[in-house]
Amino acid sequence: MNHQTGAKRYLVLAILLSAGVSTFSHIFNRYYLGVAIDVGINIVLAVSLNLINGHTGQFSLGHAGFMAVGGYAAAVTSIQLSPWVPPALLPLVFLGSLLLGGLAAAATGLAVGVPSLRLRGDYLAIVSLGFGEIIRVVLQNMESVGGASGLKGIPKYTTLGWTFALAAITVYAIACLVNSTYGRGFIAVHDDEVAASAMGINPTRYKVTAFVVGAFFAGVAGGLYAHHKQFLSPTGFDFMKSIDIVVMVILGGMGRTAGVIAAAILLTLLPEVLRGFADIRMILYALLIIGLMMARPQGLFTLGRSRPGTT
Amino acid sequence: MSQIEQQLINGLALGAIYALIAIGYTMVYGVLRFINFAHSDVLMLGAFAAYFLAPLSERVFGPQSITGAICVVVASSALCAGIGMLIELLAYRPLRNRPKLAVLITAIGVSLLIEYTCQHKAVFKAETKPFPRLFPSQDFRFGGLAISSNDIVVLLVTVVLLGILWFVVQRTRIGTAMRAVSFNHQAAALMGININRVISFTFGLGSALAAVAGILYAMKAPGIEPLMGVQPGLRAFIAAVVGGIGNLPGAAIGGVLLGALETFAGGIPGISNYRDGIAFAILILILLFKPAGLLGRVQTEKV
């Protein structure tokens, strides 16, 4: 109980802090501000994927697909609604569009998760990868959202405050879910599916729950991204984007929220720092993935042994 | 009517290429139980090897000679077999006893490494290069059908290679060892099989087939570039899953099926734009109704 009120206090503090810093955002350099918002969005993405890949031990390669669904849904909502709403209510429109984006992504997550999560092992990786590709192809052919040339003219609503407040809420919500009595089920499924089902836990149900919740937050992140870049293109949500998020989770240590947040920050800043070496940047990135798996498969930010019971 | 037959021939030729690639995926999955994401890049390297060897063969055997083409294909697949074995030795062998996830991610890393290295301006550069014509080609006409000699070559080569593969897997010592390893690592090792050698051989064989597939694919494609392997690789992988992963005839059937369906779908006006998504839609349908694939057996998990 005490632990929970403490966490709640941190959440309120984080939201107030991001709102406070956000009011001064006009004095920051626009480039740094943009990178900071990228960091916040990537934290939401990495922490939500961590629920699926880390805590629940599944392997999803389609997180960018959920982000795309959420981003497009949120962008279309706010483009349609904004002209009709008085300026004072625009933050409500933004919040509503983010929620709608999240719900759209969650619904997609349910539709993808129910058939694929009954299967074990690598199949989820394959299906989620395939799903991401299908989303991309469908978006490319939907002329109502710009088709292959992309969706333009999205209002710029995303601010530093919104991003980090939502990142804090994501971290809080997922931490609460995993630490609750219900949430122990995710970890049981992660550790041993057969033993978990012998204890009366329905693994498929837990996996689907993790998938849907993860997809919801990915959708919210997509909405933030859409109102940050003001432009969405189907090719921006390809396989590589999903891999980027997976690498954040692995680098941080699967199932370790603090590590995953640190990795999201690091991996967002790293390409900016390496801008001068643009031609070998991606080669270094690939070597980083391989080297990491050889030397520290438990993640960079995990000290000593990984969580008891994990292999 | 002839339109349908025309599509069928195009689809079969594409499917044959998918089948050759799918076999590499399925063999590696059979012995190591993981998805070798770098397989699609070996295919690309095969096409590039042929691209660089073709001028050499032209100097020795004269332009568009059949002997020269055979030499180019054999040399490229030998080279790729070496590359495949090297990838296994350097990247996958050190992780043999790690969780499967670590190997899977390493495979993605290896794939990205090959792709980005090849795109670098000092290596192959990112732009598309025209693929040289290895042997004379012409169109044959049967009634209303136009069959290009390329398609006939693709089908013939695939059938011959599948026959050789069947012989190797079913009738030779190393093939028997491969089947034993895919059945049970430990038991195979106890029977005196050198597991490392068998796995190495599997990678070599799969990569050689991928190289041939890469060259055949390059002959049909407008040109070659470092990312050319990604799309056929993904389709072929799906074909392997559709046929039942780990199952060799399944991979061949899945490949042909997928190639044919995709080509037919490309010919239907309303659906043709969604062509890239069709393979995945088929995959999801198959997994829904027959999770082990068309020819795969359902395995009960032992605790």
Side-chain angles (χ1 to χ4, degrees):
Chain A
M1 195 64 207
N2 208 358
H3 176 74
Q4 285 232 330
T5 47
K8 227 170 249 167
R9 206 170 296 148
Y10 280 121
L11 173 70
V12 174
L13 197 70
I15 293 175
L16 287 178
L17 196 69
S18 33
V21 174
S22 191
T23 53
F24 297 108
S25 59
H26 57 276
I27 58 171
F28 297 135
N29 178 320
R30 278 174 62 96
Y31 167 70
Y32 291 126
L33 196 67
V35 173
I37 291 176
D38 285 341
V39 168
I41 293 172
N42 281 337
I43 290 177
V44 177
L45 287 170
V47 170
S48 58
L49 185 67
N50 189 29
L51 175 66
I52 305 170
N53 285 20
H55 295 298
T56 320
Q58 304 306 302
F59 192 58
S60 168
L61 276 175
H63 221 51
F66 296 124
M67 189 187 168
V69 171
Y72 271 89
V76 169
T77 314
S78 72
I79 289 174
Q80 295 297 326
L81 282 183
S82 291
W84 307 97
V85 173
L89 291 178
L90 282 180
L92 274 181
V93 171
F94 182 40
L95 194 64
S97 74
L98 288 182
L99 263 178
L100 208 75
L103 289 176
T108 325
L110 189 68
V112 179
V114 169
S116 55
L117 289 164
R118 290 183 308 147
L119 311 164
R120 283 181 197 188
D122 307 329
Y123 284 106
L124 179 66
I126 305 157
V127 174
S128 55
L129 195 163
F131 150 76
E133 287 289 297
I134 291 178
I135 292 282
R136 194 174 54 78
V137 171
V138 168
L139 287 174
Q140 266 171 357
N141 286 297
M142 270 171 75
E143 290 307 324
S144 55
V145 294
S149 54
L151 184 60
K152 297 178 200 67
I154 308 166
K156 189 163 183 72
Y157 291 150
T158 304
T159 62
L160 201 62
W162 276 107
T163 312
F164 279 90
L166 282 167
I169 291 172
T170 308
V171 172
Y172 176 76
I174 288 179
C176 282
L177 182 64
V178 172
N179 291 327
S180 67
T181 316
Y182 182 80
R184 294 286 128 186
F186 296 121
I187 294 161
V189 171
H190 170 281
D191 288 348
D192 192 330
E193 223 172 280
V194 179
S197 62
M199 293 295 135
I201 280 171
N202 181 348
T204 303
R205 191 167 191 164
Y206 272 88
K207 287 193 266 182
V208 170
T209 310
F211 210 62
V212 170
V213 174
F216 174 83
F217 285 108
V220 172
L224 284 170
Y225 178 85
H227 294 90
H228 171 48
K229 302 283 181 202
Q230 296 177 273
F231 170 71
L232 290 178
S233 146
T235 47
F237 300 104
D238 60 358
F239 181 53
M240 268 311 296
K241 180 75 191 164
S242 294
I243 294 287
D244 283 347
I245 311 169
V246 169
V247 171
M248 286 173 196
V249 173
I250 295 159
L251 190 71
M254 312 262 264
R256 307 208 159 235
T257 310
V260 169
I261 295 172
I265 299 172
L266 186 74
L267 281 179
T268 320
L269 297 182
L270 200 65
E272 306 296 333
V273 177
L274 290 179
R275 235 163 234 289
F277 311 92
D279 54 339
I280 55 162
R281 193 171 79 185
M282 295 314 290
I283 301 176
L284 291 177
Y285 182 69
L287 284 173
L288 172 83
I289 300 178
I290 302 171
L292 191 70
M293 282 300 112
M294 300 255 177
R296 282 190 74 83
Q298 73 272 41
L300 262 194
F301 303 103
T302 320
L303 296 170
R305 249 168 60 83
S306 55
R307 195 172 58 202
T310 54
T311 42
Chain B
M1 191 56 204
S2 69
Q3 175 112 39
I4 292 178
E5 285 155 3
Q6 184 77 58
Q7 295 282 34
L8 188 68
I9 289 166
N10 294 343
L12 277 180
L14 185 66
I17 296 173
Y18 286 167
L20 284 180
I21 313 168
I23 281 168
Y25 278 112
T26 223
M27 281 199 305
V28 166
Y29 193 91
V31 294
L32 282 180
R33 298 273 178 275
F34 87 99
I35 309 165
N36 179 16
F37 275 95
H39 193 62
S40 59
D41 302 301
V42 173
L43 171 156
M44 174 270 291
L45 290 175
F48 269 94
Y51 173 84
F52 287 112
L53 287 173
L56 203 72
S57 106
E58 200 173 303
R59 208 174 306 152
V60 180
F61 298 100
Q64 303 195 353
S65 99
I66 307 272
T67 332
I70 293 173
C71 286
V72 167
V73 171
V74 169
S76 311
S77 41
L79 194 69
C80 283
I83 293 172
M85 286 154 121
L86 199 69
I87 292 174
E88 192 272 330
L89 182 72
L90 294 179
Y92 303 148
R93 193 169 294 178
L95 299 171
R96 185 78 51 78
N97 296 318
R98 296 275 180 80
K100 247 190 336 193
L101 200 61
V103 191
L104 197 66
I105 293 158
T106 311
I108 296 175
V110 172
S111 164
L112 294 179
L113 181 66
I114 298 177
E115 282 165 20
Y116 288 121
T117 311
C118 291
Q119 278 182 319
H120 192 272
K121 56 180 183 289
V123 189
F124 299 154
K125 301 194 183 69
E127 60 259 27
T128 309
K129 297 179 169 64
F131 193 71
R133 193 168 282 201
L134 292 176
F135 45 81
S137 73
Q138 63 179 103
D139 285 359
F140 296 106
R141 299 211 154 266
F142 294 103
L145 285 180
I147 303 173
S148 114
S149 60
N150 270 1
D151 284 349
I152 299 174
V153 169
V154 167
L155 287 172
L156 271 180
V157 168
T158 307
V159 169
V160 169
L161 286 179
L162 289 182
I164 295 174
L165 183 79
W166 180 85
F167 180 81
V168 168
V169 172
Q170 298 292 336
R171 288 282 184 273
T172 60
R173 276 176 73 87
I174 187 85
T176 316
M178 270 170 68
R179 283 183 289 141
V181 169
S182 80
F183 196 73
N184 188 330
H185 270 217
Q186 272 180 322
L190 289 173
M191 295 301 124
I193 292 171
N194 184 342
I195 304 264
N196 282 338
R197 238 183 61 202
V198 172
I199 291 175
S200 214
F201 179 79
T202 310
F203 269 84
L205 193 59
S207 303
L209 291 178
V212 179
I215 296 169
L216 296 178
Y217 189 78
M219 289 183 348
K220 287 172 76 76
I224 58 175
E225 43 105 10
L227 295 180
M228 65 173 275
V230 176
Q231 283 302 329
L234 221 51
R235 309 280 162 75
F237 173 64
I238 290 173
V241 177
V242 165
I245 191 134
N247 184 310
L248 287 178
I253 292 171
V256 172
L257 192 74
L258 218 65
L261 281 175
E262 208 180 279
T263 310
F264 273 113
I268 304 169
I271 305 178
S272 57
N273 285 344
Y274 291 91
R275 196 180 148 158
D276 286 345
I278 281 166
F280 296 104
I282 296 170
L283 170 77
I284 290 173
L285 281 178
I286 291 275
L287 287 183
L288 265 177
F289 295 109
K290 225 169 166 329
L294 291 177
L295 298 186
R297 269 178 306 156
V298 183
Q299 287 188 337
T300 42
E301 195 163 325
K302 289 181 216 127
V303 181

